[in-house]
Amino acid sequence: MELRYLAAFVAVAEELHFGRAAKRLNMAQPPLSQQIRQLEKELGVRLFERSTRSVRLTSAGESFLAPVRKVLADLDAATRIAKAAGRGESGRVSVGFAGASSHRTLPLLTRAVRTAHPGIELVMQGQNYANRALARVAEGSLDLGFVRLPVSRAGVATRVIAEEELICALASDHPLARRERVDVADLAGEPFVSFPADTGSSLRDVTFQTCERAGHIPRVVQEAPDSYTILALVAMGVGVTLTLTSCTHIQQTGLVYRPLAGPPVVLRAALAWRPDNPSAALHSVLDVANEVLPTPPPRTPDPEEEPHSAAETG
């Protein structure tokens, strides 16, 4: 059964006049009559009672009209949805993120996407720390991931959206809290609170790399799955931790942040995606991200304090 037969049926049913229906469909009357006859032949029922003066629906035609209208309406809606998806105006985009450091960048992106493309559904998937998010983007189970550089995955593109520095978080009554800056070497032997090794946290990796550069390995006494819990444990005096400047919005009684002595350790937050991902919606989200999360200008380092990047700490 051809869709044009259904459209012809609806036109005749609504006009109850073959001439007007043909004009509405921009076709001649004989082909229209032929389409209706063919439709009736396929169905095995008469849809119209015709006379020289009138056209009216049979009981079969009346029963057939509502379902056909729904079929044509559904087809029209499906066509519009497909065209919108092809233009990147609708669809689903899965986004992997984790940690308190995304508290500023992620809401900026989600709000901007809702405003620019209300037909795009962002499927937010938390607890995807940088290394895990990168792996999932590479394998294709995530469209977009919040990661940290460096990235060495083939087939994955990245763009820097923020720069952060490594800092120390301590209990306010810790002896090192009285200093303006904390030397990482002075954390040797201190109990540390950290992310578990299996979370894929790049912050844990950089913490270990930074401490090893200072001549010691962190003595982790407590692990926690997120920065909020880690910093709460630090405030309780369980241990110290290295965290990021983007987490200083977390303020708890008994918690202080101190910059590190020496050259700053800089981490670059980035978006990661596969350029070969065929999703037009993903590329619309990336266009929005370019506007609301622009790449920051290059840092101008202090000549006496050349910064270390996360790549250099590795």
Side-chain angles (χ1 to χ4, degrees), residues 39 46 209:
L39 179 60
R46 288 181 61 82
Q209 293 162 3

Side-chain angles (χ1 to χ4, degrees), residues 27 36-37 182 210 231 272:
M27 62 187 301
I36 296 299
R37 286 194 297 271
V182 172
T210 301
L231 293 171

Side-chain angles (χ1 to χ4, degrees), residues 75-311:
L75 176 62
D76 180 64
T79 300
R80 285 186 281 105
I81 290 171
K83 289 181 177 179
R87 294 190 298 267
E89 296 172 359
S90 67
R92 290 163 59 94
V93 176
S94 56
V95 182
F97 69 99
S101 60
S102 60
H103 85 284
R104 185 190 68 83
T105 53
L106 192 56
L108 286 174
L109 179 60
T110 56
R111 286 197 295 266
V113 169
R114 282 198 300 269
T115 299
H117 302 290
I120 293 179
E121 178 187 2
L122 294 179
V123 183
M124 311 307 297
Q125 299 188 20
Q127 298 301 308
N128 277 283
Y129 289 89
N131 294 333
R132 180 174 295 172
L134 178 60
R136 292 192 61 197
V137 168
E139 72 185 19
S141 61
L142 272 180
D143 294 314
L144 185 65
F146 281 73
V147 303
R148 289 195 177 93
L149 301 186
V151 167
S152 58
R153 291 271 183 165
V156 175
T158 61
R159 184 177 65 79
V160 175
I161 58 172
E163 290 188 340
E164 308 165 280
E165 287 187 19
L166 201 63
I167 58 175
C168 185
L170 315 102
S172 57
D173 60 356
H174 193 288
L176 293 176
R178 294 193 293 268
R179 299 185 183 180
E180 290 186 5
R181 293 179 176 270
V182 172
D183 194 319
V184 177
D186 291 336
L187 298 176
E190 290 285 342
F192 269 74
V193 185
S194 175
F195 289 96
D198 61 354
T199 59
S201 168
S202 62
L203 178 55
R204 179 186 169 107
D205 293 344
V206 172
T207 293
F208 272 70
Q209 293 162 3
T210 301
C211 289
E212 288 171 6
R213 283 168 54 91
H216 65 94
I217 297 175
R219 181 169 64 88
V220 177
V221 299
Q222 180 78 48
E223 294 180 335
D226 57 76
S227 293
Y228 293 97
T229 306
I230 288 173
L231 293 171
L233 291 169
V234 170
M236 295 175 196
V238 174
V240 303
T241 196
L242 297 184
T243 188
L244 298 167
T245 47
S246 58
C247 292
T248 56
H249 67 284
I250 302 175
Q251 297 292 330
Q252 300 194 37
T253 302
L255 177 69
V256 296
Y257 299 99
R258 295 291 181 264
L260 299 180
V265 178
V266 178
L267 286 83
R268 294 175 174 85
L271 294 176
W273 69 96
R274 290 188 64 99
D276 60 357
N277 189 321
S279 169
L282 167 63
H283 293 284
S284 291
V285 170
L286 290 172
D287 288 341
V288 172
N290 285 337
E291 297 179 11
V292 299
L293 299 176
T295 298
R299 292 169 58 93
T300 304
D302 186 319
E304 297 181 359
E305 291 192 347
E306 189 69 24
H308 296 295
S309 71

